Amino acid sequence: MGGAISLLIVNFVIAQLFTAAFLVTAAKSRSRQAAQYCAAGFAVASLAAVFETVVPFTSFPRFFAISAFATMLAGFCLLRFGLGLFYRVPASWQVLVAFFLASVALDLVIYPMQRGTLQHAVLYQLPFFIIQAWSATAVWRSRRRSAADWILLSLLVLTAGYCALKVYIAVAAGSGTTAQDYVSSPFALVSQALGAMLIVGTGLAMLGVMIKDIVDDARARSEIDLLSGLYNRRGFIERVTPMLQPGRPAGTLILADLDRFKQVNDSYGHHTGDEVIRQFARVLSEVMPNRAVAGRLGGEEFAVFLPSTDLEEARVVAHGMRAAMMSQKIDGLAEQARITASFGVAAIAEGEPLEQAMQRADKALYAAKENGRNRVECADAPQTVVNPLVPQWIGRP
């Protein structure tokens, strides 16, 4: 009995540590509710250890045995709900409550049955198998396939399998003839020992995927320009550089610069200038192909990388961006005022460093500025684009 009770105490302490860890994670995670439900799941499930410890010493073993079953299952249901929120594969709380109540009712029905029999073991373990398998499906259906997600999925499947295996262990090793006999049975020692290992493994895996999410989110924020919503210079370079490795198809780089942007800030204020930046970022995102990468390099300068795209195709895309921006009506500007942009386009040779390509595209952009703005110039074969007639554009002399 002493060994099983010691393991029950260990399991209780482990569950409390995970409860605290998930609460700390919730404070930093954008999936705060998911982490909070996981914390609640471990806290509630830990009560099962308390109730099981009391069973051999009480005159009301039925109440404490049923309570141990109910709190453990309730904890697993809370974990399933939390995982559903995190993986965006939600479980209906009404269905979970109905499942929980039906399972507790089942436990009440089978309580008088002799323990250690196949019938009792199957019916007792069935709800735990279902909830663990249900949790595993949440990870699988999310289609998230990082190493951390695979580890968690594997452990949930293993835990479901362990619930099925416990049927055999309960019959083979013996789980006592009554609830009070359970703690002193060989089955209790095996069950609590293996259960502790799976609790630790699964809990760490859950924490792992949530902490990875926090780290990925923080990294993404560090690479995103908050004003435009595009990548900043660092994020743009880190995304594009791996796409320029030798042996991979190169592409084309477009550098863009808003014309006379300083005069917008001076004449209409920085709030309007910020709106111009946001609008231009939207134009770039809407016009560029799906696989393209766009970034704000700083100030009013932007970059777009078009993978597996030749110079002529990129020039057409740049013209589309130029025309789209020129047609935009910006809040805060005069009714007839329009903002224009200049573009420099450079085809990137296979294996060419991004910095070198950016220098060539920048020279083309400088030529577009020098030749009258609101133009597209190509680094390899500069082409002049006639300025279209517009009612008015900012800073026009």
Side-chain angles (χ1 to χ4, degrees), residues 115-118 121 165-176 186-187 190:
R115 290 173 174 263
T117 63
L118 180 62
L165 180 64
K166 285 174 74 173
V167 173
Y168 170 78
I169 298 175
V171 175
S175 59
F187 173 70
V190 175

Side-chain angles (χ1 to χ4, degrees), residues 12 14-16 18-19 22 37-47 75-76 78-79 199-200 202-204 206:
F12 177 82
I14 290 172
Q16 300 311 309
F18 277 116
T19 299
F22 277 109
Y37 273 104
C38 288
F42 275 96
V44 172
S46 70
L47 297 176
F76 287 154
L78 287 168
L79 289 173
I199 286 173
V200 171
T202 306
L204 287 175
M206 289 181 186

Side-chain angles (χ1 to χ4, degrees), residues 64-327:
F64 288 97
I66 299 296
S67 296
F69 173 92
T71 50
M72 179 65 74
L73 186 62
F76 287 154
C77 288
L78 287 168
L79 289 173
R80 170 60 184 89
F81 195 80
L83 285 175
L85 292 177
F86 180 80
Y87 281 101
R88 293 179 174 81
V89 185
S92 167
W93 67 265
Q94 294 96 332
V95 174
L96 276 171
V97 169
F99 167 75
F100 171 75
L101 293 176
S103 299
V104 173
L106 175 64
D107 192 45
L108 286 168
V109 170
I110 66 173
Y111 182 82
M113 293 183 181
Q114 182 180 349
R115 290 173 174 263
T117 63
L118 180 62
Q119 184 181 18
H120 182 276
V122 168
L123 294 176
Y124 188 91
Q125 295 299 331
L126 182 62
F128 295 107
F129 172 82
I130 291 173
I131 194 64
Q132 294 295 343
W134 194 1
S135 296
T137 62
V139 183
W140 178 257
R141 288 172 56 197
S142 73
R143 299 192 181 280
R144 286 180 44 153
R145 296 296 182 263
S146 71
D149 298 310
W150 276 114
I151 291 172
L152 176 57
L153 175 61
S154 300
L155 284 168
L156 288 171
V157 170
L158 185 63
T159 304
Y162 171 63
C163 292
L165 180 64
K166 285 174 74 173
V167 173
Y168 170 78
I169 298 175
V171 175
S175 59
T177 56
T178 66
Q180 289 173 306
D181 295 334
Y182 165 75
V183 175
S184 58
S185 69
F187 173 70
L189 193 61
V190 175
S191 176
Q192 293 303 320
L194 292 177
M197 289 189 289
L198 286 172
I199 286 173
V200 171
T202 306
L204 287 175
M206 289 181 186
L207 278 174
V209 295
M210 292 188 179
I211 291 173
K212 179 182 181 299
D213 203 51
I214 293 172
V215 172
D216 290 346
D217 191 47
R219 181 179 179 183
R221 284 199 302 268
S222 72
E223 296 178 350
I224 296 295
D225 174 62
L226 296 181
L227 179 58
S228 67
L230 304 177
Y231 288 113
N232 56 26
R233 177 181 287 271
R234 172 189 171 187
F236 180 79
I237 291 174
E238 290 195 0
R239 290 298 181 281
V240 174
T241 299
M243 303 170 75
L244 299 178
Q245 298 301 316
R248 299 187 60 174
T252 308
L253 180 67
I254 299 175
L255 292 188
D257 192 274
L258 291 165
D259 296 330
R260 294 186 171 91
F261 182 71
K262 183 177 184 301
Q263 293 186 23
V264 175
N265 286 329
D266 293 343
S267 302
Y268 294 93
H270 289 280
H271 177 77
T272 300
D274 289 348
E275 183 58 32
V276 170
I277 294 291
R278 283 190 286 265
Q279 190 63 36
F280 190 47
R282 284 192 287 269
V283 166
L284 297 182
S285 299
E286 291 170 0
V287 176
M288 71 185 193
N290 290 335
R291 295 186 299 117
V293 180
R296 182 187 178 203
L297 303 184
E300 64 272 27
E301 187 176 6
F302 295 76
V304 178
F305 173 71
L306 307 175
S308 303
T309 304
D310 63 29
L311 186 65
E312 181 58 27
E313 291 174 321
R315 187 181 69 84
V316 172
V317 172
H319 274 301
M321 294 171 174
R322 180 192 60 79
M325 187 59 193
M326 190 178 61
S327 67

